[in-house]
Structure formats: C-alpha cells, structure tokens
Amino acid sequence: MGLLYHFIIGIFIGAGAILPGISSGVLCVIFGIYDKLINCILGFFKNIKENFKFLLPIVIGVAVGVIVFGNLLKSLFNLYPIQTKFAFIGLILGCVPNLFKIANSKKGFKAHYLIYTFLSFGITIFLLLLENTLKNSTFVSQGNTLFLVLSGFIMSIGIVVPGVSSTVLLMILNTYEVYLDAVSTVNFLVLIPMGIGVICGGILFLKITEVLMRKFFSETYYTIIGFVLGSLLILYPRL
C-alpha cells in the first residue's frame, strides 16, 4: 500500500509540473513528503536501498502524471482556454490558506513576515512586465538547445520550491507551449536538454531550499505565498 500511495502522490506531483499555476512543491507539502523528499535526494547515497524504495514509485508516478496530464491539458487549453485558466486560479487560491497555516506553524504570525510576501509578489509583477519582451526575443523563439537547458534549470525552481509554479516560469520564458507539446508528443530533442537543466537546477535549489527551511522557515514560506499570489496575475485570462 505504501508503494501504491507514493505512486499516486507521484502522479499528482507530475500534474503539478504540467498544470499552469500549480506547484509540485506545494503538492509535496500537502501530502506531507516534502522534507523527506529533500532528505532522500540530498542524502541518497547514505542509505541507497531505503531512499531508492521511497523515490522509485514517486518518480514513476511523476512520469505517468506528466504524460497523461500533458495530453489532457493540451486539449483543454485548445478547447476551453478561459474556463481552464479560471479553474486553475481556483485551485491555487485553495492552496493559500494551507500555506499560511504551515508558515505560522513554528513561530506563529509576525507582521514583518508580510514584507517577504510583498517582495516576492513584486518580483512576480516585474517578471510579468518582462513577458512581452521575452516573447519577442529571437533567442527565445529559436528554441535552441542551450536555452532549453536554461529553461529546465529555471523550471527546477518551481519543482523544488513550494508555491513557485514551474509552468508559470516557463510561460514567462515563452517555452511553456514548446514544453507541453514535447511532453504530449514525447519529443526527446526538447525533453532531454530540459531534463538536464532540471537535474542540475534541482540539486542546487534543493540544497538552497533545505538551508532556508532550516534557518528561515516562516520567512521562506511567506516568500512562497507571494509567488503563489503573483502567479494568479499570470494565469488571469487577458480578454
């Protein structure tokens, strides 16, 4: 049952890597495996057998979730773009109360924590203002291998950091549609370089997140909340 449960969790995490505005990291927190996931990955060689047993069903589930939801989401966005975006906005808003609960779980609420939320929210607005510039960039539109690796590297932030959506980051870089199409058609020419970027970035940001969570738990979560709220602006349909 443990293997099946972790496999199902992996499917949801994989969906989080596909569905816009939804963070894989938040799903890991909700399912109560985030801390253990970080420890298993960073300390994999300390106990290979146990860590492999824990990670394998999750990894397989992620692969299934990415492939299944990749095709489903592509159809939904083509047929019902506005309705689909509003549905995901609702899902994101549903995660916010739980994030506040987690953020206040260790030290309680302190007013100055909101500064971190405002700062991260401001960063999201700034990135949103850059979106049109990035869309018109020749370098981005060429979809070259180096940029795909960079996209995967940046995407790993959303996979690792709870509340930061990897798909929103790809939208800002104008590579989300390329990524979604590659997933639905299993295009390894796109998936392999992006995968290399995800692995390299994932290791780096896992370590950074682990340190931040240990030393600045509440501040880190309030920063995450700002990114979550900012992602709503990116998803909101522009009629």
Side-chain angles (χ1 to χ4, degrees):
M1 288 299 293
L3 294 176
L4 178 60
Y5 177 68
H6 289 150
F7 171 73
I8 294 172
I9 289 177
I11 292 177
F12 281 102
I13 295 172
I18 287 289
L19 304 179
I22 299 178
S23 166
S24 297
V26 163
L27 294 172
C28 291
V29 171
I30 292 172
F31 286 117
I33 66 168
Y34 186 71
D35 292 342
K36 186 173 182 180
L37 198 60
I38 290 178
N39 293 331
C40 284
I41 294 173
L42 295 180
F44 182 78
F45 294 104
K46 294 180 180 179
N47 191 341
I48 296 177
K49 183 178 179 180
E50 288 300 317
N51 290 333
F52 182 80
K53 183 179 178 181
F54 175 76
L55 292 172
L56 181 61
I58 295 177
V59 171
I60 295 174
V62 167
V64 172
V66 166
I67 294 172
V68 171
F69 280 93
N71 287 285
L72 174 62
L73 188 62
K74 187 175 181 181
S75 299
L76 287 175
F77 263 100
N78 287 333
L79 296 173
Y80 311 104
I82 295 177
Q83 295 91 329
T84 302
K85 286 186 177 183
F86 273 116
F88 292 131
I89 286 174
L91 289 172
I92 295 167
L93 287 173
C95 294
V96 173
N98 189 55
L99 285 175
F100 274 109
K101 182 179 179 181
I102 295 171
N104 298 326
S105 62
K106 290 192 175 183
K107 299 180 180 179
F109 172 74
K110 296 180 181 179
H112 73 272
Y113 288 157
L114 293 175
I115 295 174
Y116 298 97
T117 301
F118 291 134
L119 285 174
S120 56
F121 184 77
I123 291 172
T124 306
I125 293 176
F126 173 72
L127 293 175
L128 181 59
L129 294 174
L130 288 178
E131 185 178 3
N132 289 333
T133 303
L134 290 169
K135 282 183 178 180
N136 296 326
S137 169
T138 302
F139 182 60
V140 174
S141 63
Q142 287 175 350
N144 60 63
T145 302
L146 285 177
F147 189 78
L148 290 174
V149 173
L150 176 63
S151 297
F153 184 86
I154 295 175
M155 179 185 178
S156 69
I157 300 174
I159 296 174
V160 171
V161 181
V164 180
S165 170
S166 55
T167 53
V168 169
L169 294 174
L170 291 179
M171 284 179 181
I172 294 171
L173 292 171
N174 197 32
T175 52
Y176 178 65
E177 291 184 6
V178 174
Y179 166 65
L180 189 61
D181 185 67
V183 168
S184 61
T185 59
V186 194
N187 184 353
F188 290 110
L189 293 176
V190 173
L191 294 177
I192 289 176
M194 289 191 72
I196 292 172
V198 167
I199 292 171
C200 294
I203 294 172
L204 173 63
F205 293 116
L206 273 173
K207 187 60 181 176
I208 293 174
T209 303
E210 189 269 335
V211 173
L212 290 174
M213 287 289 189
R214 180 161 33 90
K215 295 186 176 182
F216 309 102
F217 183 84
S218 297
E219 294 87 340
T220 301
Y221 261 99
Y222 271 93
T223 301
I224 287 168
I225 291 169
F227 283 123
V228 170
L229 295 176
S231 69
L232 298 176
L233 299 177
I234 298 171
L235 272 176
Y236 188 82
R238 299 165 201 177
L239 302 176

